[in-house]
Amino acid sequence: RQLPEGRRATLASALELEGTVLREGRLTQFVANNLERRIRLSGAPRSEPAAAAGGGGSIPAIDPGALQDVVALAGQVAAQVDELLRNVHCGLQALTALSVGCIQTYRDGVESLGEAADLSIRAMYALVARCEELDRAMQPVPALAKRIRDMKGTLERLEGLCK
C-alpha cells in the first residue's frame, strides 16, 4: 500500500525522534534508540512498570486459556505427525515391495539368460563336433574327385579313339 507523501513524511519524522531511519532506494530501515530497554519494558507486566524498570524481573502470570490452546494444538500436531508417519510407513512398504519385485524379476532374467547362454554354448559345441565328423567323413571326397576326373579323361580318350 502506498501512503500519501505527506503521511510518509510525518511517519518518517516521528520515527526519527525514536531512533535512526536509513533509506536505500525503496527500502527503509529503522533502529530504535534504547532497544534493549524497550524490549525489557515490552515483556514486563503492565501493573508493575517500576519493577521492570528497576531490573527486578518477575515472571508474568501464565494464562490458563493459552495453556489449554497450546495443549490442544500440540495434540493436533501429534495426531498429524502420527498420520504423516503412517503415510510414510505405507509408502515405504509399497516402495519396498516394488523394489523386491524388481530384484526378483532381475534375478529371474539373469537366471534365464544364464540358462540360455549355457544351452547356446552346448549347441555350439555340438555343431563344432558335427562339423568335425563331417570333415572326417568328407576326407575321401578329394581322392574320389581325382579318380572321377581321371575316369572322365580316360572316357574322353576312348571316345576320341572310337570316332
Side-chain angles (χ1 to χ4, degrees):
R1 250 170 57 191
Q2 294 277 337
L3 294 174
E5 282 300 316
R7 174 83 174 120
R8 187 181 300 154
T10 306
L11 183 62
S13 58
L15 288 175
E16 287 174 351
L17 293 175
E18 298 294 323
T20 305
V21 177
L22 301 171
R23 290 183 191 87
E24 295 177 16
R26 294 182 65 195
L27 177 68
T28 302
Q29 297 177 0
F30 172 72
V31 179
N33 292 334
N34 300 324
L35 184 60
E36 290 179 23
R37 184 175 145 274
R38 288 175 184 266
I39 292 172
R40 279 194 217 111
L41 286 176
S42 69
R46 300 282 181 215
S47 61
E48 301 176 17
S58 64
I59 299 174
I62 297 174
D63 181 18
L67 282 179
Q68 290 173 350
D69 291 344
V70 168
V71 169
L73 288 173
Q76 289 175 355
V77 168
Q80 290 174 351
V81 168
D82 286 344
E83 181 66 24
L84 175 68
L85 289 176
R86 275 192 293 277
N87 290 339
V88 167
H89 179 72
C90 291
L92 287 175
Q93 282 182 333
L95 288 174
T96 301
L98 181 63
S99 296
V100 167
C102 289
I103 290 170
Q104 288 173 345
T105 303
Y106 179 75
R107 182 199 61 213
D108 295 344
V110 168
E111 285 176 1
S112 65
L113 176 66
E115 291 170 4
D118 188 44
L119 289 174
S120 296
I121 290 170
R122 288 176 192 220
M124 186 184 307
Y125 278 127
L127 179 64
V128 168
R130 295 277 168 97
C131 288
E132 288 174 352
E133 288 175 13
L134 183 61
D135 187 48
R136 280 192 296 271
M138 297 294 282
Q139 282 179 355
V141 170
L144 285 173
K146 185 176 183 303
R147 285 179 62 196
I148 291 172
R149 278 192 300 270
D150 289 344
M151 285 179 174
K152 189 177 178 184
T154 305
L155 282 174
E156 286 175 1
R157 276 183 267 148
L158 281 173
E159 277 181 8
L161 289 175
C162 290
K163 286 186 185 181

